[in-house]
Amino acid sequence: MRLDIYRRAETDGKLSYLAVPESRNIPEEATNTDWEIDTRAYEVDDDADQVSEFDLENVSGQIGEKGYAITSSQH
């Protein structure tokens, strides 16, 4: 699958990432924050569990459940 990856700065200087299937809009519950595009059409396996470059875990599970994947708040 191809993902559009967005990023935002956190208060501790780290970055959070949001992955949305290519050409889909950021889901409404995530639009109230300042996401900026990082990478368009990032290719991952359809059953990808992790995208370590962006600290994303359970990617296919999160997308299946919520329609997007987001960096864990534990990172």
Side-chain angles (χ1 to χ4, degrees):
M1 81 180 113
R2 296 172 91 170
L3 302 172
D4 290 337
I5 309 290
Y6 298 85
R7 71 174 180 275
R8 73 171 179 217
E10 299 294 338
T11 55
D12 58 4
K14 294 182 181 181
L15 294 174
S16 286
Y17 292 95
L18 175 77
V20 180
E22 183 181 33
S23 75
R24 285 197 197 166
N25 292 328
I26 295 175
E28 188 174 320
E29 65 267 25
T31 58
N32 63 341
T33 57
D34 296 326
W35 293 104
E36 298 177 13
I37 191 70
D38 185 280
T39 306
R40 292 200 186 273
Y42 187 84
E43 188 74 41
V44 299
D45 291 336
D46 287 346
D47 60 351
D49 185 51
Q50 292 187 347
V51 181
S52 57
E53 181 178 347
F54 302 108
D55 291 328
L56 295 166
E57 298 177 357
N58 188 24
V59 175
S60 59
Q62 286 193 70
I63 289 173
E65 181 182 326
K66 302 182 284 193
Y68 63 91
I70 192 164
T71 302
S72 170
S73 60
Q74 298 174 13
H75 289 278

